[in-house]
Amino acid sequence: MGDSLDMFGDEPEREGEDALETKPTAAELEEAGQGSMFDASPPAASPSDEPEAAPEIAPETVAAPVAAPEPAQPIPPQPASLAAPSASPVQSSAQAGQPYRVLARKYRPQTFAELIGQEAMVRTLANAIERDRLAHAFLMTGVRGVGKTSTARLIAKALNCIGPDGQGGPTIDPCGQCEPCLAIAEGRHIDVIEMDAASHTGVDDVREIIEAVRYAAVSARYKIYIIDEVHMLSRNAFNALLKTLEEPPAHVKFLFATTEVDKLPVTVLSRCQRFDLRRIPTGMLQEHFAGICAKEGVEAEAEALHLIAGAAEGSVRDGLSILDQAIAHADLDSGGHVVAERVRDMLGLADKSVQRDLFAAILGGDAATLLDGMDRQYALGVEPLALMRSLMDLVHRITVAQIGRSGADAPTAEERAALEDWAEKLGAAQLHRLWQLLLKGHDEVRGAPDPQVAAQMALLRMLHAADLPDPGSLVKKLEELAAQGVAVQASSTPSGGEGDAPSAPPAAKLDWDALVHQVDIGGHLRIAQLMRDWVRVIDLAPGKLIFSLVPGLAVDPVSEMRDALYKSTGVKWTVEQGVGEGAPSLRELSDARKAEDEAALMRDPLVEAAMAAFPDAEIVKEDGDRQGETRQWTKRA
């Protein structure tokens, strides 16, 4: 069988058998993939084609793409350049003399297993592929560096993978050896079109896509459009894309990636299957960076990797860029070890021990130590804004440790012990007040003409306010003082009656009488009358009332009494019905006094003489009580 024609219908040229000894070109790899799919022998490419390197493909998978032809055809010898590489990526790059590739590109995920922190999305895609429920459009959103574009390329691989034998179908675990996988990884697959929406924002760019989707894929199972930063498309471009996006041909898939999903029209969002890629936790990033350091042969301290992972703020790409810089920043005389001290200098971060010393000086009220420490940090190159952020982070971790997390994210035992100690000593209200002061100080430092002076003033304000009582404690103290003032005023108020109260403690009687009077003048007449007639005091203290009721009351007056006391005194009261008899009610005390007055009247000699002379006589009260008390109205005319 002769050589198959190229994509333009022309027969490829060859210049003899020496062409087999040359390195295979990208065109050869592409034609080899077509041969594996359509059972055609891969033709040789023109020697004028320039060889293209495949830097991101694992060396052990390079020799697989050339598929075996039909048994009747002789198998051409493998070029030496296909089977030669067997070293690690670092070694092969160095041996080939290729320029250095940064870690963010070198360790870009090539399989879903290498994509960290996005297990929910991978599981959803795996189930969709297994059940043949693939959407026609996918939208990946999240902060920078969490793997949006890498995920889009992995989906393109998963949908177009044909397996090492050329017979496979869509899979969540693409082989990485077949021609579609290799071409997509190298960014040269003709059916996987990757477009940057930031530089193709107009409706004309979208119109080209609309025209192209009508044609079937050249060599792949699906024609895939990857549009990065899709939120940059213009409004007209989105409108032009809507119809095609809603009902694309069966052989077309759209993969969108964006960091600002809120800028997309809802009409676009409703037509896509959305995946929100999460920020990567600090611990997972630290573990990932440790594995990369092991592959690179670089030794790094755990605290240094923790600092890098924290500075990455959940972004793998940001963290790898910082790690790349830290490896370059490491001293060669120390073996190139990445140490926490050098990482701190590189990032302009404050030393953790210095943070703790400054925080201790704030809590201890030592202004001189605080200012000296700030001056030393400023001389070392630590920015005042970074110092404020580090103290905010310290307060946050103490607060988190206080609710049971035990300072779990502290990289050293010393720091963990300090966090737990402060979490036990400081109150929640005090920590929240310190956070608010730091937050306000951070804003002041960011906008101040002299950040160092603004930081000093902000921390001195914190120092003076650190031991102040919180508003809740002040309110409680004011309530206690107000309640004590009521009691003192009541104890100095005369009861207004004659005689001694039988079987009632004088202090309780005076306090209760004055308190009921205060409720009465506060406008709660019905509650005041109920307190006089039915309440027997068991225990009376500022803000606390325990009582029993005179038998015969059918309602529970607790809530009404509590509200009336609060409105009359401005103090929240604890009102409970206790066990026991308690002191007599004010009505019972008044009746007892009246009965004693009547008994004393009957013992008067004149009354005794009158009663003896007129045995059937009765004493009638006509117009009120004696002693000039308030006149009581009667039914008499």
Side-chain angles (χ1 to χ4, degrees), residues 11-29:
E11 183 175 348
E13 298 179 359
R14 299 186 61 180
E15 295 184 0
E17 298 298 325
D18 293 340
L20 293 175
E21 301 298 327
T22 61
K23 185 175 180 180
T25 64
E28 286 180 320
L29 295 177

Side-chain angles (χ1 to χ4, degrees), residues 116 143-146 278-289 304-325 343 346-347 349:
I116 63 173
V143 298
R144 80 270 176 225
V146 293
R278 302 179 301 172
R279 290 180 183 268
I280 313 303
T282 301
M284 186 177 294
L285 279 178
Q286 182 177 348
E287 184 179 352
H288 181 61
F289 296 158
L305 295 179
H306 183 83
L307 291 173
I308 294 173
E313 297 180 349
S315 171
V316 181
R317 184 174 63 238
D318 288 6
L320 288 176
S321 299
I322 298 173
L323 179 60
D324 227 338
Q325 183 179 357
V343 172
M346 181 187 73
L347 297 177
L349 300 176

Side-chain angles (χ1 to χ4, degrees), residues 23-24 26 29 51-59 61-62 65 85 89 92-93 96 98 101 105 110 181-183 185-188:
K23 185 175 180 180
L29 295 177
E52 296 182 9
E56 297 187 13
I57 306 304
T61 65
V62 176
S92 62
S93 176
Q98 295 178 356
R101 283 184 300 146
R105 291 189 58 199
Q110 297 300 324
C181 287
L182 293 175
E186 295 177 13
R188 58 177 176 81

Side-chain angles (χ1 to χ4, degrees), residues 323-394:
L323 179 60
D324 227 338
Q325 183 179 357
I327 294 174
H329 191 71
D331 288 331
L332 295 178
D333 54 1
S334 62
H337 295 179
V338 179
V339 296
E341 182 179 358
R342 299 305 299 269
V343 172
R344 236 181 256 112
D345 294 340
M346 181 187 73
L347 297 177
L349 300 176
D351 191 348
K352 296 289 185 180
S353 60
V354 175
Q355 293 178 18
R356 296 193 293 271
D357 293 341
L358 292 178
F359 191 69
I362 290 173
L363 295 179
D366 191 347
T369 302
L370 174 64
L371 294 180
D372 290 342
M374 293 183 66
D375 291 339
R376 286 194 300 270
Q377 290 297 294
Y378 188 73
L380 291 173
V382 178
E383 292 295 329
L385 198 62
L387 182 64
M388 298 296 292
R389 282 198 301 265
S390 65
L391 289 174
M392 292 173 68
D393 177 69
L394 181 59

Side-chain angles (χ1 to χ4, degrees), residues 370-623:
L370 174 64
L371 294 180
D372 290 342
M374 293 183 66
D375 291 339
R376 286 194 300 270
Q377 290 297 294
Y378 188 73
L380 291 173
V382 178
E383 292 295 329
L385 198 62
L387 182 64
M388 298 296 292
R389 282 198 301 265
S390 65
L391 289 174
M392 292 173 68
D393 177 69
L394 181 59
V395 172
H396 170 259
R397 286 190 290 154
I398 294 172
T399 307
V400 171
Q402 193 177 61
I403 61 176
R405 296 286 292 275
S406 301
D409 61 344
T412 62
E414 179 184 2
E415 185 175 359
R416 188 178 302 111
L419 292 177
E420 293 176 353
D421 182 59
W422 277 323
E424 293 179 0
K425 293 180 179 179
L426 299 177
Q430 188 175 5
L431 287 172
H432 288 296
R433 184 170 66 255
L434 291 174
W435 170 264
Q436 293 295 332
L437 291 170
L438 280 170
L439 189 62
K440 181 175 177 57
H442 180 272
D443 294 339
E444 293 175 355
V445 172
R446 184 169 53 186
D450 190 339
Q452 176 68 358
V453 173
Q456 289 178 348
M457 296 302 295
L459 294 185
L460 286 174
R461 182 170 62 234
M462 279 184 60
L463 182 144
H464 295 300
D467 56 350
L468 291 178
D470 59 277
S473 301
L474 287 176
V475 170
K476 290 182 179 179
K477 289 183 178 180
L478 290 175
E479 290 177 351
E480 293 176 359
L481 291 175
Q484 292 174 1
V486 170
V488 170
Q489 180 182 3
S491 62
S492 61
T493 303
S495 61
E498 291 184 349
D500 297 330
S503 67
K509 170 194 168 186
L510 292 175
D511 291 349
W512 179 241
D513 193 5
L515 191 59
V516 172
H517 179 69
Q518 189 169 355
V519 173
D520 195 358
I521 63 176
H524 307 280
L525 305 181
R526 185 178 64 84
I527 303 301
Q529 189 63 38
L530 184 147
M531 294 166 68
R532 288 191 185 95
D533 295 347
W534 298 95
V535 175
R536 295 174 175 174
V537 176
I538 297 176
D539 185 16
L540 181 63
K544 179 181 178 182
L545 171 61
I546 300 177
F547 67 94
S548 62
L549 292 174
V550 176
L553 185 64
V555 298
D556 185 5
V558 171
S559 60
E560 293 182 321
M561 289 171 56
R562 186 188 299 115
D563 293 341
L565 288 171
Y566 173 70
K567 294 177 181 179
S568 301
T569 63
V571 178
K572 292 185 178 180
W573 284 74
T574 300
V575 180
E576 299 177 0
Q577 187 171 353
V579 179
E581 291 295 330
S585 66
L586 295 179
R587 168 58 67 87
E588 291 175 330
L589 291 176
S590 177
D591 292 344
R593 286 196 298 270
K594 291 179 180 179
E596 187 174 350
D597 291 342
E598 291 179 357
L601 179 62
M602 296 300 294
R603 291 194 298 269
D604 186 273
L606 293 177
V607 175
E608 289 180 350
M611 295 300 293
F614 305 97
D616 297 330
E618 295 180 1
I619 298 177
V620 178
K621 294 182 179 180
E622 187 64 26
D623 293 325

